[in-house]
Amino acid sequence: MDDLAPALTRILDGRWGEVRRRLREHEDPMRFAPPPERLSMEEHRAFTTAQLLSLTGEDFASAGLATGMGGSADFGASVTAFEMLGHGDLSLLVKAGVQFGLFGGAIANLGTERHHTAYLPGMVDGSLLGCFAMTETGHGSNVQHLETTATHDLGTDEIVVRSPTPGSQKNYIGNAARDGRMAAVFAQLVSADGEGHGVHCVLVPIRDGQGHPMPGVTIGDNGAKGGLPGVDNGTLEFDEVRVPRANLLGRYGDIDAGGTYSSPIDDASRRFFTMLGTLVRGRISVAGGAGAATRSALTLATRYALHRRQFAAPGDGEEELTLMSYRAHQRKLLPAIARSYALMLAQNDLVEMMHEVAGHEGGAPEEHQRELEARAAGIKAVATRHATDTIQMCREACGGAGYMASNRLTDLKADTDVFTTFEGDNTVLLQLVAKGLLTEFQETFEDNSPRAMIAFASRFTASSILERTPAAGLISRLMARAPSTDDDDAERHRGRQLSLFLDREKHLLEGVALRLAKAARAEPTDAFRIFNNAQDHLLAAAEAHIDRVLLEAMCAAVETCEEGPVAELLDDVTDLFALSTIERHRAWYLEHGRLTPTASKRVIRGVGVLCKDLAPHARLLVDAFAIPDAWLGAPGLLEPLGSA
Amino acid sequence: MDDLAPALTRILDGRWGEVRRRLREHEDPMRFAPPPERLSMEEHRAFTTAQLLSLTGEDFASAGLATGMGGSADFGASVTAFEMLGHGDLSLLVKAGVQFGLFGGAIANLGTERHHTAYLPGMVDGSLLGCFAMTETGHGSNVQHLETTATHDLGTDEIVVRSPTPGSQKNYIGNAARDGRMAAVFAQLVSADGEGHGVHCVLVPIRDGQGHPMPGVTIGDNGAKGGLPGVDNGTLEFDEVRVPRANLLGRYGDIDAGGTYSSPIDDASRRFFTMLGTLVRGRISVAGGAGAATRSALTLATRYALHRRQFAAPGDGEEELTLMSYRAHQRKLLPAIARSYALMLAQNDLVEMMHEVAGHEGGAPEEHQRELEARAAGIKAVATRHATDTIQMCREACGGAGYMASNRLTDLKADTDVFTTFEGDNTVLLQLVAKGLLTEFQETFEDNSPRAMIAFASRFTASSILERTPAAGLISRLMARAPSTDDDDAERHRGRQLSLFLDREKHLLEGVALRLAKAARAEPTDAFRIFNNAQDHLLAAAEAHIDRVLLEAMCAAVETCEEGPVAELLDDVTDLFALSTIERHRAWYLEHGRLTPTASKRVIRGVGVLCKDLAPHARLLVDAFAIPDAWLGAPGLLEPLGSA
C-alpha cells in the first residue's frame, strides 16, 4: 500500500503539478519557511520582506501577468505556486499576496497600458512595493460605501485624495506600516463638476525614496496582530493628497483632460462589480493558501497520532495504544483529511476555471466571470472555515506538544485565523454564492445588501442547477445507478450520496427563493424582517452548494483512476467525505424526510467504519500531500522520541 | 430595562459575590491586567512574575489553606478570586495557579505537618516559587504510568530521583524555565527493598539561591508557546538527584527510617486516585478562568456588534444596520451568552461543592469527593470547549478589528487555547465523567484506560441518575408540569426541556452500559473493539450529563428570582440555552423518536425567535457580567469610533 502515495499525489496535484514538484524540489527548501528562531515583530517583518524580495527571482509574479504586460500568462501556474507558499511561513504568503496579487492585480486589471509600462516592472522585481488600500475602518464588507474621495481638480488636472471622516481611514493595509511606497487607493471618484462616479482606484505614492511619508499622507502601524507577524499592516489617511490625473487606474472609468468622465460600462453598480470581479484571484489564492496550511497541520497531527501512545488495551499487556487507535481520535482526523482531499480537488478545478477566464484577458463571457466569482467566494469561505476548525482540532489532538510554538500548529492556526474574515468576510461571501445561485448569474451587478438579495430572488428558477456543473454527465450517470433507499448499505452508494447532496441544495434554495420573493412583494419594513428570518437558510443553501461542488470534484477524480488499489482508496476517502458531510447535516435530512432514523444511524455507523478502515492508511493519506519534512518542521510531532 | 443588570449580576455572582465586588473595585484595577504594551517573551515573563509577587499581598493563597496551615479556609473565596483573574492577563492566572494551586496544593494536600510548616509560608509570600512536575514527555493523560522514579536509599536515608528514559523528562512545567526553586515531582516510589508503591510526590530543590540549577537537575526552556507568554514553561530532568527522605510528601504513603513503606490506603490504585483527587481545585480553577475569559470576549464582541454598522435595510434610506440586527450574527452571539450564563451558575454550584468537601479537610464522605471530581472534570471539559469555540467566534464576529492584538480577542483565544488539553485532556475527562455515572461513584479507583472502563460498566444501573442532582425536588416538579408533546409551543416549556435533556442522558448512558457490559464478557481482543465502537457514545453521554447539570443550575436560579422583569429575562435566557442545546442535538432526538420533524423545526424557529427577542437586551446581558472596562481594554471594540 505504501507506494500508493505518489499516485495519489499525482491526482491531488492537478494540472499544475509540475509547479508543485519544482517547488518541493527547490534547491533552497527554506526559501519559504518560517524563521528558524522566534523573532520580534520588527525582525520578523524584515525577514519576511527579505523573503519576498528573494521570491522576485522566481516567476511567481510574472506568470500571473498577461504576455502583453511582460508576463507569461500562466495564471494557473502562478496561483498554484502561491498555494504552495501556504506550506511555508504564512506571513510570506500574505505579503506576497499583497504585493503581486492585490497591488499588482489592481494595476494589471484596473489600469491601462501607461500604468502597466510605468509600474508593473517595479511591482514584479520588488523595487516598487505597494499596498492595496481598500478596507476602511468604517467599511469592510460594504465596499461600495467607502468614504475616501478622489476628486478631479480641473485647474491643476490633478486628483485630490481625501479621508473625510475618522471612519474613512484605510485600515489593516498590508505593506503600509513599513515597506509600501505606493498604494492603490479605492475611493469615490468625483469629477470636477461634482458628479460622483462610484468607487475607483487611484495610485498614490505614500513614501518618498527615503521612506518618509509623502506630504499629506499619515501612516499608522497596526502593530501586533493575532498572527502574521511578518506582515506590516497599517493605516493610511489622506489630507488633500494630490496626484496627477494619470494615476487614476482608468480601464473601467476615466477622466479626460477636459474633466469629462467616461466608462465602457454605463451602469455604475455593474461597473463597480466588474472592477471588483477582476480581483477574484485574491480569494482563490487565500483559499489555496488555507488549504496548504490545513494539509500541513493534518500531516503533523496524523504523524503524531501514529506514534504517540497512551493507555493500554485490555488483555494486551502493558503496551499502550497509539492515539490513532481510538475511535474519538480517528473521528477527528480522518473526516478532516477526506474534506481536505475534496477541497484540494475542487480548488484545482477553480484554478482551471480562473485560468480559462483570465486567458480571455477581460473578454470572457460575462456569465463565466460571474460563475468564477461565485465559485471563488464559496470555496474561499468553505476552505478557510475548514482551515480554522481543522488546525484548531490538530492542535488539540497533539495535547501539550501541540501548544509549543516550535511544533508550528499554533502559528498555523494564528496566521490563518484572519482568512475567514479578510478577502471577503465568509458570511458575506456565502450570501454572494446564494445570490449567484438564485439569479443564475444573470445581472448580479448589485451589492450584497439585503435590499439587493430580495430584489433578485423573485427571478429564481431552480431548473438549471444540475446542468451548471462541470461533471454533469458523469454525475447524472452515477445518480441514475442509485439503489433503493431502504437498501442496507444505500448511503455507501455514490449515486445516493449525490442525490442527497443535490436534494439538500435544491430544497434549501427553493425555500430561500420563496421567502425572498415574499419579501420583494412586502412593504420595505417587512421586507428586511422576512430576509432576516431567511438568512440562516441562505447561508445553508450556499454551503450545501459548495458541498456538492466538492463531492462532484471527488467523483470526477475517482472516475479518472484506473481500477486498482488507488481507485479503491480514493473511493473510500470519497465515501468518508460524503458520509461525514451527510452526518453533519443529518438533522436536516431527518426533518425533511430524506433519511429515516434507521438510515441516519446507519450513516453514523458508516462514518465510524470508514474511519476505522482508513486509519491504517492514515500515513499514506497525508504522505500524498507530499509536503517536505523540511517545510513541516516540528520534529517533535513528526517522529517518535529518540527515533532521530 | 437597563437597570436590570445589577440584579442579574447579583444572581450570577453567587455566594462569593463579595469577593468579586472587592476585586472589581480594587484600588489598582490594572493589578491583574495584561501589560500596557506588547512585550518580548522575556519581558512578559518578568512582568508576570512581578504581578504574581504583588498578588501575595492579597489573600488569594491563604484563603485556600486550612486554618491549621495558616490559612483562612475560605476555599470558595479563594477559587472565586482566582476566577476573577481570568478577566485579566491569563499568564498571571496560570502562573498563580501553578504557584498557589498546584505547587501549594501538593504541599497542603499531599504533605504532612512538617511540610506545611517548612514550605507553606514561603509558598504564600512568594519567597519560595515552585513547580508542579507531573506531566512527562511520554505521559500526560496516563499519569499512573509516569516513568520518573524516586527510590529510597537506606544507606543515606535519602530519596534518589531519576529520569530513566527520554520520555520521562518532565515537560511543559510552569515556573520551571525561569523562576522555580523547588518542584513537587511526581514519581514512581520505590522502597529500599525494591518494591514499587506507585506514583507519589517528592519535593526536589531545582535551583539554588543564585538561581543556578541544583546538581543533577537539568532545566530546559519550552520557549515560545501558542499563548501564555508570561508563563515560563520548561523541562526538568533528574540525574540521581538526592533529597532527604523527609521531602516525600507522605500523607498518603510514607517511608520510615527503617525503610518500611506504609499508607493509610492499602489498595495502590485507590491510593493513587485519592492523592490525585485532592488536587481537584486545579480543574475547578481552570474552568472558572475559562469562563471569565469567555465572558470578556462575549462582552467585547457584543458591544462591537451593537455599534458596528454594515449595509442598509430595504427602504430605510442609507443608514446601515448594526451587525446585531442580522439573524446570523444574533445566532452566533446570543446562544453563546446563554450558555455562558448556564456555565457561570453551574460553576458557582461546583465551587460550593468544593468548599463543602474541602471544609472537611479530607474527612468528607468518599462519595462526595468522587462526585466533586466527576463534576469538576465535566465542567472543566465543557467550559474550556465553550471558551475556545466562543472566543474564536467572537474574534471572527469582529472582523479585522478582532484580529488586532490591541483588541485582546486574539490573546484571549491564544492564552486559553491550552485549557482544553491541560489539567486533564478534555476527551479523557469526559470519559472520567461517564465512568463516574456508570459506577455511581462507587469504587472508581481505577484509571481511565479502556480496561478500567469496561470492568466498571457491568455494574451500571441508571436508577439513581435523577436523585443525584442538587435541585432534584424542583426539577421533578417542573417536569411534572410538562405539556403534551404535540402542544404548539411545547419546547418552550421548562418541564419538557428538562425531560428532553434527562432522556438523552439516560438513553445514552444505558446504551453505553449495555455495550461495555458486552465488552466485559468478551475475549480481551474483542473487548477493546467493543469499547472503541462505543467511545463516541461514552463522550456524548458525559456531555449530555453536563448539559443537564447546566440546565438545572439555570432552573434553580430562575426559581430564586421574584416575579418581575429580571425573572422574565433570565427565563428567556434559560429557554435559549435549553433550545439551542436541543437544536444542536436535534438529530439525536429525531433518530430516537423524541422529536418529530415538526417539533424539531419548531425548535430551530424557537431559537431564532429567542435570539431576535433577546438581541435588544444584549448589552444588558453582557453588562451583567460586570467586567470593568479597564480590564476589558480594546476601546476600538467597546465604543463607536469618535465617541470617546
Side-chain angles (χ1 to χ4, degrees):
Chain A
M1 279 302 259
D2 285 353
D3 53 347
L4 300 185
L8 280 175
T9 301
R10 270 190 300 279
I11 296 167
L12 291 172
D13 272 359
R15 177 163 157 191
W16 286 277
E18 189 49 41
V19 173
R20 299 184 194 269
R21 281 188 288 281
R22 214 173 56 227
L23 286 168
R24 283 179 198 130
E25 291 155 16
H26 197 283
E27 52 178 4
D28 179 7
M30 304 315 281
R31 172 83 57 102
F32 331 114
E37 53 178 352
R38 208 87 194 150
L39 302 178
S40 72
M41 185 182 78
E42 281 312 321
E43 291 163 343
H44 204 135
R45 285 178 173 183
F47 177 87
T48 301
T49 304
Q51 277 190 322
L52 174 72
L53 293 176
S54 96
L55 276 193
T56 59
E58 317 274 333
D59 52 1
F60 278 79
S62 59
L65 293 176
T67 45
M69 301 181 199
S72 59
D74 202 352
F75 310 107
S78 167
V79 169
T80 303
F82 190 83
E83 177 183 325
M84 294 299 284
L85 286 184
H87 291 302
D89 190 351
L90 279 304
S91 286
L92 175 61
L93 174 116
V94 170
K95 184 100 172 171
V98 168
Q99 172 68 15
F100 304 138
L102 296 175
F103 176 62
I107 298 171
N109 295 303
L110 305 180
T112 56
E113 206 184 327
R114 68 171 186 270
H115 306 107
H116 301 160
T117 312
Y119 304 115
L120 289 180
M123 184 280 289
V124 169
D125 72 17
S127 60
L128 178 65
L129 295 181
C131 307
F132 184 81
M134 180 182 274
T135 298
E136 297 178 354
T137 301
H139 286 93
S141 296
N142 193 358
V143 175
Q144 253 176 319
H145 284 71
L146 293 179
E147 295 177 82
T148 302
T149 57
T151 309
H152 183 224
D153 178 341
L154 201 54
T156 61
D157 201 19
E158 289 171 315
I159 307 247
V160 188
V161 181
R162 286 189 191 89
S163 309
T165 64
S168 69
Q169 174 197 56
K170 296 291 176 183
N171 208 343
Y172 323 125
I173 309 299
N175 255 348
R178 182 185 188 273
D179 289 332
R181 277 184 43 218
M182 182 173 269
V185 177
F186 288 79
Q188 302 289 348
L189 183 66
V190 181
S191 47
D193 58 7
E195 197 187 342
H197 305 282
V199 173
H200 288 64
C201 188
V202 183
L203 292 176
V204 181
I206 58 168
R207 280 191 178 85
D208 63 22
Q210 280 73 52
H212 302 304
M214 295 293 282
V217 177
T218 304
I219 304 179
D221 191 330
N222 285 133
K225 303 182 299 291
L228 301 173
V231 184
D232 56 325
N233 296 83
T235 59
L236 295 173
E237 278 163 286
F238 304 100
D239 181 13
E240 309 271 329
V241 176
R242 292 175 169 267
V243 299
R245 177 172 52 86
N247 282 27
L248 174 64
L249 295 175
R251 178 165 173 189
Y252 294 102
D254 215 344
I255 290 178
D256 67 19
T260 305
Y261 175 84
S262 66
S263 164
I265 304 175
D266 285 342
D267 181 75
S269 191
R270 180 172 175 155
R271 183 191 313 137
F272 172 72
F273 282 100
T274 302
M275 288 169 66
L276 239 55
T278 63
L279 306 171
V280 70
R281 241 178 285 173
R283 280 177 191 160
I284 299 174
S285 299
V286 167
T294 310
R295 296 192 295 275
S296 294
L298 281 168
T299 304
L300 293 172
T302 299
R303 286 179 57 175
Y304 186 70
L306 289 168
H307 65 76
R308 171 74 172 179
R309 291 170 181 275
Q310 214 76 181
F311 296 117
D316 241 12
E318 285 304 307
E319 202 194 11
E320 294 177 289
L321 297 162
T322 64
L323 298 186
M324 189 61 95
S325 312
Y326 292 96
R327 169 66 62 98
H329 218 78
Q330 294 168 1
R331 263 189 162 279
K332 284 175 193 162
L333 290 171
L334 287 159
I337 293 173
R339 195 169 176 83
S340 281
Y341 268 64
L343 273 164
M344 191 166 177
L345 294 166
Q347 174 78 15
N348 290 345
D349 291 346
L350 173 64
V351 172
E352 288 205 43
M353 271 173 88
M354 181 281 297
H355 185 79
E356 298 309 322
V357 168
H360 288 89
E361 299 188 20
E366 213 160 79
E367 189 172 320
H368 292 187
Q369 173 68 31
R370 295 285 91 75
E371 268 195 71
L372 173 66
E373 288 166 29
R375 177 70 59 88
I379 296 282
K380 186 271 182 188
V382 168
T384 56
R385 176 81 270 141
H386 178 63
T388 289
D389 294 346
T390 302
I391 301 172
Q392 178 68 35
M393 175 274 287
C394 289
R395 192 313 276 164
E396 295 176 25
C398 295
Y403 198 57
M404 299 299 111
S406 58
N407 283 334
R408 282 203 68 206
L409 289 169
T410 53
D411 280 348
L412 287 172
K413 168 67 184 63
D415 287 344
T416 56
D417 190 63
V418 76
F419 288 16
T420 53
T421 55
F422 82 175
E423 283 288 323
D425 178 90
N426 281 358
T427 303
V428 176
L429 291 183
L430 289 173
Q431 292 191 183
L432 193 149
V433 174
K435 194 179 62 178
L437 294 168
L438 288 171
T439 56
E440 300 185 42
F441 307 104
Q442 313 295 326
E443 306 180 76
T444 51
F445 302 102
E446 278 276 349
D447 62 24
N448 288 306
S449 68
R451 195 185 323 214
M453 298 291 301
I454 291 167
F456 279 110
S458 50
R459 296 174 230 155
F460 171 73
T461 58
S463 57
S464 69
I465 287 184
L466 232 195
E467 290 81 74
R468 214 182 287 140
T469 76
L474 165 66
I475 302 308
S476 303
R477 264 185 291 125
L478 288 169
M479 298 217 307
R481 294 203 300 255
S484 145
T485 56
D486 43 3
D487 190 308
D488 253 9
D489 214 15
E491 289 74 25
R492 282 295 287 270
H493 193 284
R494 195 55 38 79
R496 171 84 172 131
Q497 293 162 1
L498 284 161
S499 295
L500 285 167
F501 275 57
L502 179 66
D503 206 21
R504 175 158 188 267
E505 175 187 353
K506 197 156 166 278
H507 188 95
L508 279 164
L509 265 177
E510 285 170 345
V512 170
L514 219 62
R515 284 152 170 264
L516 294 193
K518 208 192 288 179
R521 291 189 303 270
E523 292 299 308
T525 44
D526 273 346
F528 176 72
R529 189 183 51 75
I530 299 171
F531 163 82
N532 214 24
N533 286 341
Q535 196 187 15
D536 298 341
H537 298 256
L538 197 75
L539 300 174
E543 287 181 291
H545 171 69
I546 299 297
D547 278 342
R548 181 169 63 88
V549 168
L550 299 191
L551 181 57
E552 293 188 2
M554 289 208 81
C555 291
V558 171
E559 202 70 8
T560 61
C561 292
E562 284 178 40
E563 269 185 52
V566 172
E568 283 166 31
L569 196 58
L570 199 59
D571 199 58
D572 281 353
V573 175
T574 306
D575 272 348
L576 180 55
F577 166 70
L579 288 197
S580 58
T581 304
I582 294 166
E583 183 190 36
R584 197 187 323 167
H585 299 294
R586 67 192 202 280
W588 187 91
Y589 288 111
L590 287 156
E591 281 156 0
H592 294 82
R594 264 66 170 186
L595 284 181
T596 63
T598 309
S600 183
K601 290 181 194 167
R602 203 162 56 206
V603 168
I604 302 173
R605 207 160 44 241
V607 173
V609 169
L610 280 162
C611 284
K612 192 181 67 185
D613 291 350
L614 284 170
H617 310 301
R619 176 67 192 262
L620 190 167
L621 291 174
V622 296
D623 279 354
F625 294 145
I627 310 167
D629 278 13
W631 290 355
L632 288 168
L637 298 179
L638 290 180
E639 305 296 342
L641 201 65
S643 71
Chain B
M1 281 300 261
D2 284 352
D3 53 348
L4 299 185
L8 280 174
T9 302
R10 271 190 300 280
I11 295 167
L12 291 172
D13 272 359
R15 179 164 156 190
W16 285 276
E18 190 48 41
V19 174
R20 299 183 194 269
R21 281 188 288 281
R22 216 174 54 228
L23 286 168
R24 283 179 197 129
E25 291 155 15
H26 198 283
E27 51 178 4
D28 178 7
M30 302 316 280
R31 173 82 57 103
F32 330 114
E37 54 178 350
R38 208 85 193 153
L39 302 177
S40 71
M41 185 181 78
E42 280 313 320
E43 291 164 341
H44 203 134
R45 284 178 174 182
F47 177 87
T48 301
T49 304
Q51 277 189 322
L52 174 72
L53 294 176
S54 96
L55 276 193
T56 59
E58 317 275 333
D59 52 3
F60 278 80
S62 59
L65 292 176
T67 47
M69 301 182 200
S72 58
D74 201 351
F75 309 107
S78 167
V79 168
T80 303
F82 190 84
E83 176 182 325
M84 294 299 283
L85 287 184
H87 290 303
D89 190 351
L90 279 304
S91 287
L92 175 61
L93 174 116
V94 170
K95 184 101 172 169
V98 168
Q99 173 67 14
F100 304 138
L102 296 175
F103 176 62
I107 297 171
N109 294 304
L110 304 180
T112 57
E113 208 183 328
R114 69 170 185 270
H115 305 106
H116 301 159
T117 312
Y119 304 114
L120 288 180
M123 185 280 288
V124 169
D125 71 16
S127 61
L128 178 64
L129 295 181
C131 308
F132 183 79
M134 179 182 274
T135 297
E136 297 179 353
T137 302
H139 285 94
S141 296
N142 193 357
V143 175
Q144 251 177 319
H145 284 71
L146 294 179
E147 295 177 81
T148 303
T149 56
T151 309
H152 183 223
D153 179 340
L154 201 54
T156 60
D157 200 19
E158 290 172 315
I159 305 242
V160 188
V161 180
R162 287 189 191 90
S163 309
T165 63
S168 70
Q169 175 197 55
K170 296 291 178 185
N171 208 343
Y172 321 125
I173 308 301
N175 254 348
R178 180 185 188 274
D179 289 332
R181 277 186 43 219
M182 179 173 270
V185 178
F186 288 80
Q188 303 288 350
L189 183 66
V190 182
S191 47
D193 58 7
E195 197 186 341
H197 304 283
V199 172
H200 288 65
C201 188
V202 184
L203 292 176
V204 181
I206 58 167
R207 281 191 178 84
D208 62 22
Q210 280 72 52
H212 302 302
M214 296 292 282
V217 177
T218 305
I219 304 179
D221 191 330
N222 284 134
K225 304 183 297 293
L228 301 174
V231 184
D232 55 326
N233 295 82
T235 59
L236 296 173
E237 279 164 285
F238 304 100
D239 180 13
E240 309 271 328
V241 177
R242 292 176 169 267
V243 298
R245 178 172 53 87
N247 282 27
L248 174 64
L249 295 174
R251 178 166 176 188
Y252 293 103
D254 215 344
I255 290 178
D256 67 18
T260 304
Y261 175 84
S262 67
S263 165
I265 304 175
D266 285 342
D267 181 75
S269 191
R270 179 172 175 153
R271 183 190 313 136
F272 171 73
F273 282 100
T274 303
M275 289 169 65
L276 238 56
T278 63
L279 306 172
V280 69
R281 240 178 286 172
R283 281 177 192 162
I284 299 174
S285 299
V286 167
T294 310
R295 295 192 295 276
S296 295
L298 281 169
T299 304
L300 293 172
T302 299
R303 285 177 58 175
Y304 185 71
L306 290 168
H307 64 76
R308 171 74 174 180
R309 292 171 181 273
Q310 213 75 180
F311 295 116
D316 241 11
E318 284 305 306
E319 203 194 8
E320 293 177 290
L321 298 161
T322 65
L323 298 187
M324 189 61 95
S325 311
Y326 292 96
R327 170 66 60 96
H329 218 79
Q330 294 168 1
R331 265 191 162 275
K332 283 176 194 163
L333 289 171
L334 287 159
I337 292 173
R339 193 169 177 85
S340 281
Y341 269 63
L343 272 164
M344 191 167 178
L345 293 166
Q347 173 79 15
N348 289 346
D349 292 346
L350 173 63
V351 172
E352 287 206 44
M353 271 174 88
M354 181 281 298
H355 185 79
E356 298 311 323
V357 168
H360 287 90
E361 299 189 20
E366 212 161 77
E367 189 171 321
H368 292 185
Q369 173 68 32
R370 295 285 91 76
E371 269 194 71
L372 174 65
E373 288 166 29
R375 178 69 60 88
I379 297 281
K380 185 273 183 187
V382 168
T384 56
R385 175 81 271 144
H386 178 64
T388 289
D389 294 345
T390 302
I391 301 171
Q392 177 68 35
M393 175 275 286
C394 289
R395 191 313 276 164
E396 295 176 24
C398 295
Y403 198 58
M404 299 299 111
S406 57
N407 283 334
R408 283 202 68 206
L409 289 169
T410 54
D411 281 347
L412 287 172
K413 169 66 185 61
D415 287 344
T416 56
D417 190 62
V418 76
F419 288 17
T420 53
T421 54
F422 83 175
E423 283 288 320
D425 178 273
N426 281 358
T427 304
V428 176
L429 290 183
L430 288 173
Q431 292 191 183
L432 193 149
V433 174
K435 194 178 62 177
L437 293 168
L438 287 171
T439 56
E440 299 186 43
F441 306 105
Q442 313 295 327
E443 307 180 75
T444 51
F445 303 103
E446 279 277 350
D447 61 25
N448 288 306
S449 68
R451 197 185 322 215
M453 298 291 301
I454 291 167
F456 278 111
S458 49
R459 295 174 232 157
F460 171 74
T461 59
S463 58
S464 67
I465 287 184
L466 232 195
E467 291 80 72
R468 215 181 285 140
T469 76
L474 165 66
I475 302 308
S476 303
R477 262 184 292 124
L478 288 170
M479 297 217 309
R481 294 202 300 256
S484 145
T485 55
D486 44 0
D487 190 306
D488 253 10
D489 215 14
E491 290 73 26
R492 282 296 287 269
H493 193 284
R494 195 55 38 78
R496 171 83 173 134
Q497 293 163 0
L498 283 161
S499 296
L500 284 167
F501 275 57
L502 180 66
D503 205 22
R504 177 160 186 266
E505 174 187 354
K506 197 156 165 281
H507 187 94
L508 279 165
L509 264 179
E510 284 171 346
V512 169
L514 219 62
R515 285 152 170 266
L516 294 193
K518 208 191 286 178
R521 291 190 302 271
E523 294 298 310
T525 42
D526 273 346
F528 176 72
R529 190 182 51 75
I530 299 171
F531 162 82
N532 213 24
N533 286 341
Q535 197 188 15
D536 298 340
H537 299 256
L538 197 75
L539 300 173
E543 286 181 292
H545 171 70
I546 298 298
D547 278 342
R548 182 170 61 89
V549 168
L550 299 189
L551 180 57
E552 293 188 2
M554 290 208 81
C555 291
V558 171
E559 202 70 6
T560 61
C561 291
E562 285 178 40
E563 269 184 52
V566 172
E568 281 166 32
L569 195 58
L570 198 59
D571 200 57
D572 280 352
V573 175
T574 306
D575 272 347
L576 180 55
F577 167 71
L579 288 196
S580 58
T581 304
I582 294 166
E583 183 189 38
R584 198 188 323 166
H585 299 293
R586 68 191 202 281
W588 187 92
Y589 287 112
L590 287 157
E591 280 156 0
H592 294 82
R594 264 67 171 186
L595 284 181
T596 62
T598 309
S600 183
K601 289 182 194 167
R602 205 162 56 205
V603 168
I604 302 174
R605 205 159 45 238
V607 172
V609 168
L610 280 162
C611 285
K612 192 182 68 186
D613 291 351
L614 284 170
H617 310 301
R619 176 66 192 260
L620 190 166
L621 291 175
V622 296
D623 279 353
F625 295 145
I627 310 167
D629 277 14
W631 291 355
L632 288 168
L637 299 180
L638 290 180
E639 304 297 342
L641 202 64
S643 71

